[in-house]
Amino acid sequence: MPGDTTDTLGKGDVVSNESLANLLKEERRFAPPADLAAAANVTGAAYAQADADRLGFWAEQARRLTWDTEPTETLDWTNPPFAKWFADGKLNVAYNCVDRHVEAGNGDRVAIHFEGEPGDSRSITYAELKDEVSRAANALTELGVQAGDRVAVYLPMIPEAVVAMLACARVGAAHSVVFGGFSADAVASRIQDADAKLVITADGGYRRGKPSALKPAIDEAVAKCPQVEHVLVVRRTGQDTAFTEGRDVWWDEIVGRQSAEHAPQAFDAEHPLFILYTSGTTGKPKGILHTSGGYLTQASYTHHAVFDLKPESDVYWCTADIGWVTGHSYIVYGPLANGATQVMYEGTPDTPHQGRFWEVVQKYGVTVLYTAPTAIRTFMKWGDDIPAKFDLSSLRVLGSVGEPINPEAWVWYRKHIGGDRCPIVDTWWQTETGAMMISPLPGVTATKPGSAQRALPGIGATVVDDEGHEVPNGGGGYLVLTEPWPSMLRTIWGDDQRFVDTYWSRFEGKYFAGDGAKKDDDGDIWLLGRVDDVMLVSGHNISTTEVESALVSHPSVAEAAVVGAKDETTGQAIVAFVILRGSASETDTLVGELRNHVGATLGPIAKPKRIVPVQELPKTRSGKIMRRLLRDVAEDRAVGDVTTLADSSVMDLIQNKLPSASSED
Ligand code: WT7
């Protein structure tokens, strides 16, 4: 539970305030480009409008959707924290994402430009997508799937993943997408928890230039899940695939022979749309439940407002995997509800070469790019010359999501990808929030490198201290959400009590996000990472994010991960693992210089006790650093469970480094 580990934050964070002052010293602000501001989808007036009548504001945004029965109620908050939004409205989510664009005369518009890793590509129009989703919906019905059922989806980044999700939504079955990199056990526990009766998978997908099988993991998982009646298998790689007669069905066979006519039925606004499991650092994964009308309203509005998305002219690309919430809200539901044209890319950024992303931007004329800080830092490490070889002049808005973006990466992104002209929107949100909550607006906000800045119109967010009191500008503490929002999680699947305990018990009447944050002198919000990641050194709270940010602001450091290790004298000691940039070589002098650099940036108390140069950092497949494993190394323990690591050999490399690790006492 986040509440167990958070009672150290918010007391003496002198160091953190100094560092913030430091970051702001140069007063770096970037005004929105005048042409973008002049034609922006959303102007500054939205804040005032939402402040004056928050529920009226959301009722108006709900009209972005096409309802079968228009809602007359906006929010029912009579039984907090269990919210109902637009409860008397009825709609079909898939109809909103597909059919209505065809009916509006935009059937020939490309919905998805698919780019496979091996270089195959195909473009799918909204009319084609409508036919395919309808056929898939008919196939689900033939396989016995009904409204209210659950369907597990375990697919690579191919258009069928989008079609499968929309087909579920169309027939009123909740999907539970499990990221294709997860193990058979992880899939099995998620299938069991959601009690899914159908699994949709593929023979395999392409990764790093090779076909990578998916079906064997499903065979192993389904062996433990007797409730699964059928496995629907998309042919992607054509590799040899074991097939269980009677249970397994080929997608092209069953979907291919269906009618392209399917009448979408309207469901209640609060009808379940999907369950998505969040990893969580401890305990069994939480099945986050999202419902239909409120979720789609906020996914659509934020995609329109934060990316300034113009469906007639923009080419949008979100590089996330469909298995994460970013893929749900900003590949599937937000963009498609808005009738956007988007790029979907199957593979890794360095296959077959390190310029692959920029080649894709150039090929499709991508105008809006949404990616993660971990990817941006990797591109920085690979070198400025790589993006420089491609024409990136089509880009006009850049987004970031997933973790705090350090100011250096922000500035690099703006300069080397955005040509010093594109605004950057640093969007804070969570699987639980369903859609963006804190972010600049590209036509309104003067942006600050490293800050997500302020709550979007209609959203209430602030920073509170240990007692739940709002901190003044300049203060630090915990990020909380102060008002219910349309795309909020409705519960943890099958565990209402855990929902209440995890999010709504730490601070009375407020949603506890589990992130540390602070407000600067203007009241803008800076995210400081998960509160579990705060270190307590000689009685001072120091955030791992800030020490990492200080380290990567040194020209020799490409990436850094910081942990607190038990220390007899200081309680915790700061241990930093760093990846050096191409040209920097690993010397004691450099390590000493880095320590002093952190000391000069944040104050002497924040100087790492040890700095260990490494080749790679342990990350989950969604790019989050697994500090738990680094803590094991720093405290000289056997390394714990590595099954959720993207590359499990990384820990061996790091441990082998330790004898030569530089340490200073
Ligand atoms: C956690 C949620 C949001 C979709 C992907 C991750 C961190 C996310 C930011 C940001 C600082 C961020 C937070 C949050 N996070 N975006 N812009 N700035 N931190 O979804 O796996 O549910 O993780 O990611 O710590 O709580 P998730």
Side-chain angles (χ1 to χ4, degrees):
M1 259 357 59
D4 300 342
T5 49
T6 52
D7 55 355
T8 53
L9 194 87
K11 291 172 200 157
D13 51 5
V14 193
V15 175
S16 305
N17 285 335
E18 275 173 16
S19 88
L20 186 58
N22 225 311
L23 291 176
L24 291 175
K25 213 161 42 193
E26 296 172 43
E27 299 263 324
R28 285 181 294 190
R29 304 283 157 91
F30 296 90
D35 52 344
L36 196 154
N41 286 350
V42 173
T43 66
Y47 293 107
Q49 187 203 341
D51 283 349
D53 178 8
R54 203 174 67 84
L55 294 181
F57 170 84
W58 283 118
E60 184 181 319
Q61 303 320 318
R63 283 181 222 116
R64 301 179 54 77
L65 308 182
T66 305
W67 297 81
D68 246 64
T69 308
E70 294 272 341
T72 63
E73 296 164 22
T74 301
L75 169 66
D76 176 354
W77 192 234
T78 51
N79 180 29
F82 300 93
K84 291 183 182 150
W85 282 87
F86 313 117
D88 63 347
K90 288 185 193 294
L91 79 172
N92 186 285
V93 168
Y95 171 85
N96 273 276
C97 292
V98 184
D99 308 43
R100 64 169 176 156
H101 306 310
V102 180
E103 287 168 16
N106 296 318
D108 292 339
R109 183 185 296 160
V110 171
I112 299 172
H113 288 295
F114 171 68
E115 182 76 16
E117 198 192 68
D120 57 321
S121 60
R122 59 185 159 126
S123 295
I124 301 165
T125 64
Y126 273 96
E128 289 164 345
L129 188 62
K130 173 175 178 283
D131 288 353
E132 192 65 6
V133 171
S134 299
R135 285 194 195 95
N138 285 324
L140 293 186
T141 305
E142 185 180 321
L143 291 172
V145 175
Q146 293 174 346
D149 288 342
R150 270 85 50 209
V151 173
V153 175
Y154 187 70
L155 284 170
M157 280 289 287
I158 54 176
E160 285 79 2
V162 178
V163 172
M165 290 161 75
L166 290 172
C168 289
R170 197 170 182 99
V171 302
H175 54 71
S176 162
V177 181
V178 181
F179 173 61
F182 277 142
S183 67
D185 278 350
V187 187
S189 66
R190 286 161 174 78
I191 293 175
Q192 284 159 1
D193 188 74
D195 197 20
K197 66 197 292 193
L198 175 73
V199 179
I200 307 180
T201 188
D203 49 0
Y206 290 95
R207 238 187 125 66
R208 301 201 184 281
K210 290 194 294 273
S212 153
L214 282 174
K215 178 73 166 28
I218 291 299
D219 288 336
E220 196 185 326
V222 170
K224 297 178 204 153
C225 304
Q227 73 275 33
V228 172
E229 295 167 9
H230 291 289
V231 177
L232 183 52
V233 192
V234 177
R235 241 186 274 263
R236 165 65 181 143
T237 58
Q239 64 202 113
D240 276 345
T241 301
F243 210 74
T244 305
E245 281 313 321
R247 185 196 72 184
D248 297 351
V249 188
W250 287 112
W251 172 285
D252 47 4
E253 189 275 310
I254 190 168
V255 174
R257 67 171 151 76
Q258 304 295 322
S259 152
E261 296 300 317
H262 180 275
Q265 184 193 334
F267 297 102
D268 288 345
E270 284 296 339
H271 190 79
L273 180 61
F274 65 85
I275 301 168
L276 184 58
Y277 288 84
T278 54
S279 47
T281 41
T282 51
K284 102 178 214 285
K286 302 186 282 265
I288 303 302
L289 176 68
H290 284 288
T291 59
S292 303
Y295 170 81
L296 196 63
T297 296
Q298 195 174 329
S300 164
Y301 172 71
T302 51
H303 182 258
H304 163 83
V306 173
F307 294 130
D308 189 44
L309 204 286
K310 314 276 200 248
E312 312 76 30
S313 51
D314 274 318
V315 178
Y316 164 82
W317 182 20
C318 166
T319 69
D321 191 278
I322 208 115
W324 312 120
V325 74
T326 309
H328 285 55
S329 302
Y330 298 105
I331 294 177
V332 183
Y333 294 109
L336 296 178
N338 291 346
T341 294
Q342 71 179 312
V343 172
M344 179 179 195
Y345 173 58
E346 177 183 31
T348 47
D350 55 354
T351 306
H353 59 80
Q354 294 179 333
R356 186 67 191 269
F357 270 30
W358 318 123
E359 185 178 73
V360 169
V361 168
Q362 177 178 286
K363 173 172 175 183
Y364 294 103
V366 171
T367 58
V368 179
L369 177 70
Y370 193 28
T371 193
T374 177
I376 297 165
R377 285 192 298 268
T378 303
F379 299 137
M380 285 173 78
K381 191 165 63 187
W382 289 345
D384 309 348
D385 52 319
I386 295 175
K389 288 186 203 126
F390 298 89
D391 179 4
L392 306 180
S393 62
S394 55
L395 289 169
R396 65 180 199 94
V397 178
L398 301 177
S400 172
V401 63
E403 55 178 313
I405 178 166
N406 49 296
E408 281 62 34
W410 194 106
V411 168
W412 186 91
Y413 193 27
R414 180 175 161 98
K415 179 163 179 219
H416 295 280
I417 306 304
D420 264 331
R421 90 192 157 262
C422 306
I424 295 178
V425 286
D426 173 11
T427 63
W428 179 91
W429 58 293
Q430 307 177 301
T431 303
E432 292 88 340
T433 69
M436 297 165 183
M437 302 294 284
I438 305 176
S439 171
L441 288 175
V444 179
T445 315
T447 52
K448 298 176 182 174
S451 174
Q453 298 190 271
R454 69 183 280 196
L456 288 168
I459 299 298
T462 189
V463 181
V464 298
D465 64 18
D466 252 341
E467 279 77 50
H469 302 303
E470 195 165 341
V471 303
N473 289 354
Y478 309 90
L479 181 72
V480 293
L481 302 172
T482 55
E483 302 285 352
W485 61 101
S487 64
M488 64 196 281
L489 77 166
R490 297 306 194 256
T491 190
I492 292 174
W493 183 257
D495 201 343
D496 286 348
Q497 192 56 49
R498 192 175 178 199
F499 167 62
V500 174
D501 292 345
T502 307
Y503 305 107
W504 299 95
S505 301
R506 180 71 176 81
F507 300 110
E508 167 104 51
K510 297 186 181 84
Y511 172 90
F512 172 56
D515 280 352
K518 59 184 42 193
K519 289 190 198 166
D520 66 16
D521 292 338
D522 304 322
D524 281 321
I525 296 175
W526 295 68
L527 277 309
L528 297 176
R530 304 295 297 167
V531 287
D532 319 341
D533 294 338
V534 168
M535 303 171 288
L536 190 61
V537 183
S538 307
H540 295 274
N541 284 289
I542 302 177
S543 110
T544 52
T545 300
E546 286 182 301
V547 180
E548 287 162 6
S549 185
L551 282 164
V552 297
S553 72
H554 188 282
S556 298
V557 178
E559 270 205 87
V562 166
V563 297
K566 272 199 201 69
D567 187 276
E568 284 185 4
T569 352
T570 55
Q572 282 191 317
I574 303 177
V575 180
F577 297 82
V578 296
I579 302 179
L580 298 177
R581 273 177 184 267
S583 56
S585 70
E586 192 184 319
T587 59
D588 287 351
T589 326
L590 176 61
V591 167
E593 195 182 310
L594 293 178
R595 293 185 72 247
N596 291 335
H597 176 73
V598 175
T601 315
L602 298 175
I605 185 96
K607 273 192 186 180
K609 184 170 178 191
R610 305 172 79 178
I611 295 186
V612 188
V614 292
Q615 294 299 317
E616 278 303 334
L617 292 170
K619 287 185 188 155
T620 63
R621 294 177 176 91
S622 62
K624 287 195 172 32
I625 293 168
M626 291 187 72
R627 289 198 177 71
R628 170 172 66 76
L629 299 179
L630 292 174
R631 225 174 280 131
D632 289 343
V633 171
E635 295 182 349
D636 245 342
R637 264 193 310 274
V639 171
D641 184 11
V642 295
T643 47
T644 52
L645 264 186
D647 172 3
S648 56
S649 65
V650 164
M651 288 317 294
D652 299 335
L653 285 175
I654 292 177
Q655 275 182 309
N656 292 342
K657 287 287 307 185
L658 272 196
S660 67
S662 307
S663 148
E664 199 174 314
D665 290 292

